[in-house]
Amino acid sequence: MKYYIVAGEASGDLHGANLIKALKTEDPQAHIRCWGGDLMEAAGGNLIKHYKTLAFMGFIEVLFNLKTIVRNIAFCKEDIADFAPDALIFIDYPGFNMRIAQWAKSKGISTHYYISPQIWAWKESRIKAIKRDVDAMYVILPFEKDFYENKHQFPVQFVGHPLIDAIKQQEPCSLAEFQEQNNLSNLPIIALLPGSRKQELSKMLAVLLSVVPDFPDYQFVIAGAPSQDFGVYKPFIIGDRVKFISNKTYELLQHATAALVTSGTATLETALFKVPEVVCYKGSWASYQIAKRIITLKYISLVNLIMDQEVVTELIQENCNSAQIKLELQRILEPDHRKQLLEKYAELESKLGGAGASKKTAQLIVRSLQQLR
């Protein structure tokens, strides 16, 4: 059968790659065409458009790139129509994917959504479009099933979180080998995960690195995103205790003592690697002013949202400053607090439903298509 997958970000590329592998296991004759990244291509998808050309962050940034977005939507529709897939699979990226879903549904194409849009955070009104345009929804957060089925009477499948699979697949690497391969010293590591978009990087790295002088017994290692060139990071790599590693975030988290992390999937990845973290986020003034008026969640990190309590400290906007970062970083480096965090992380992992999200999703998609035939 033929599958068309649309992912628009680095995290979608990771989960899309594992889904492609699972689809090929369930359907050895699978022909897969996709929007995504290098991982999806390496997994066997025919890559049509790279997410590097798609990722726009924040309300203002989207407005400035509307023409590009409209052109991409038109091209995507044409390409799907030419390919004529048995199943169209969306991975998050709702601003783009929901527009494609509406068009696809009108054309009679079977629509599947893996990794739900976060309508529980904002734009809950999208539930109307989801009910209308999505044939099957596969959710990865435990509270999403209750949200969809009990609040909105829309049946969904909870498949568990794909990060558990991705992390289990990570090859172990000794600390000595990691240090040698990446020109690191023997000092313990504080990982910096500043995001994957230029808009995030320009605002976050300066403030995160401002605390380096306060922690002379540690080296700070920036996790470079595969979507960005080294030139974006180069101005921030100053002194012998600030290091840079590109596209090796999981290897870095394997050996990190603590981490400073922007909001998003990285907060959950860090917790699953059992690394104490402080969540730091500072966006543009305009985007933040808009966001705080329409997003009513108590927390911004997935760790706290899933646990429904403040497990990790969140420093947002004006609270994301040198003094507060220093204070919270000192706190998570204390042995007692580290122990408490690791206990909460264990609870978090148990809530996520165990391994096998990609396999479960692929099985459900293939089974649904077989039933249609």
Side-chain angles (χ1 to χ4, degrees):
M1 287 183 284
K2 297 196 293 185
Y3 307 85
Y4 199 108
I5 304 176
V6 183
E9 298 178 304
S11 61
D13 182 35
L14 172 64
H15 303 318
N18 286 328
L19 180 61
I20 287 172
K21 294 173 188 175
L23 284 169
K24 286 181 172 291
T25 298
E26 298 300 321
D27 178 6
Q29 304 304 314
H31 184 194
I32 299 172
R33 195 170 176 89
C34 60
W35 291 38
D38 299 340
L39 297 177
M40 292 174 72
E41 185 172 36
N46 180 10
L47 185 65
I48 304 306
K49 184 80 82 168
H50 202 289
Y51 68 80
K52 289 181 182 179
T53 67
L54 304 174
F56 304 109
M57 180 189 174
F59 305 96
I60 305 303
E61 291 82 4
V62 168
L63 286 174
F64 284 141
N65 290 280
L66 271 179
K67 287 185 179 179
T68 299
I69 294 169
V70 169
R71 284 196 298 268
N72 284 335
I73 289 172
F75 172 73
C76 187
K77 290 176 181 178
E78 292 173 8
D79 198 54
I80 293 169
D82 290 342
F83 184 62
D86 295 288
L88 176 56
I89 303 168
F90 306 108
I91 300 180
D92 201 1
Y93 199 50
F96 187 92
N97 277 335
M98 287 307 302
R99 287 171 173 81
I100 301 299
Q102 181 178 7
W103 167 85
K105 187 67 174 178
S106 71
K107 301 298 181 184
I109 300 171
S110 180
T111 54
H112 301 254
Y113 220 119
Y114 177 43
I115 306 179
S116 164
Q118 294 179 350
I119 65 170
W120 37 265
W122 73 300
K123 287 196 175 181
E124 191 169 344
S125 60
R126 275 180 171 156
I127 186 63
K128 295 177 182 178
I130 288 173
K131 285 183 171 183
R132 183 189 66 215
D133 302 327
V134 176
D135 293 321
M137 175 73 75
Y138 313 100
V139 300
I140 65 173
L141 299 172
F143 61 78
E144 290 179 321
K145 186 171 178 66
D146 176 70
F147 172 84
Y148 275 108
E149 295 189 344
N150 294 334
K151 186 172 183 180
H152 292 291
Q153 294 74 54
F154 182 67
V156 299
Q157 297 282 349
F158 173 58
V159 294
H161 206 291
L163 276 181
I164 294 176
D165 291 334
I167 289 171
K168 287 183 182 298
Q169 293 169 8
Q170 180 64 35
E171 292 290 335
C173 173
S174 72
L175 176 59
E177 183 181 359
F178 182 69
Q179 290 169 336
E180 182 179 356
Q181 288 178 348
N182 297 286
N183 194 31
L184 303 181
S185 73
N186 292 324
L187 292 174
I189 295 169
I190 295 174
L192 304 182
L193 280 63
S196 59
R197 304 181 182 99
K198 286 183 180 179
Q199 296 97 325
E200 290 176 318
L201 294 172
S202 62
K203 290 179 175 63
M204 293 307 305
L205 276 174
V207 67
L208 295 181
L209 289 168
S210 67
V211 301
V212 171
D214 298 304
F215 297 89
D217 297 327
Y218 295 85
Q219 58 184 323
F220 289 70
V221 182
I222 301 168
S227 58
Q228 298 297 339
D229 296 327
F230 176 66
V232 176
Y233 302 92
K234 188 175 180 180
F236 300 96
I237 304 171
I238 301 170
D240 59 359
R241 288 192 300 110
V242 178
K243 304 295 176 65
F244 171 82
I245 298 175
S246 181
N247 201 20
K248 293 183 180 180
T249 300
Y250 281 11
E251 292 95 323
L252 175 59
L253 288 174
Q254 280 184 16
H255 301 296
T257 299
L260 301 176
V261 188
T262 60
S263 61
T265 304
T267 64
L268 185 55
E269 290 172 315
T270 303
L272 291 174
F273 272 102
K274 308 301 188 292
V275 180
E277 65 181 302
V278 181
V279 177
C280 308
Y281 184 76
K282 180 176 288 189
S284 69
W285 182 87
S287 291
Y288 177 69
Q289 292 301 316
I290 296 171
K292 75 176 185 178
R293 285 165 172 77
I294 63 175
I295 298 175
T296 58
L297 295 175
K298 290 188 290 184
Y299 309 109
I300 66 168
S301 70
L302 283 173
V303 175
N304 292 344
L305 285 168
I306 294 166
M307 294 294 287
D308 195 26
Q309 59 180 285
E310 189 179 58
V311 173
V312 297
T313 298
E314 299 179 351
L315 301 178
I316 306 170
Q317 212 63 10
E318 66 270 11
N319 290 324
C320 184
N321 58 62
S322 298
Q324 287 293 106
I325 294 171
K326 174 185 175 181
L327 182 67
E328 294 300 334
L329 184 52
Q330 287 173 332
R331 186 164 165 255
I332 64 172
L333 290 171
E334 295 172 358
D336 288 345
H337 189 70
R338 177 185 179 86
K339 181 182 177 183
Q340 293 172 13
L341 266 179
L342 295 184
E343 289 172 354
K344 290 294 184 181
Y345 284 173
E347 292 179 35
L348 169 73
E349 188 164 356
S350 69
K351 282 179 174 283
L352 291 175
S358 302
K359 180 179 179 180
K360 292 172 192 172
T361 303
Q363 288 174 337
L364 289 165
I365 293 172
V366 172
R367 192 180 306 152
S368 72
L369 296 179
Q370 290 171 340
Q371 290 171 350
L372 289 174
R373 291 192 164 189

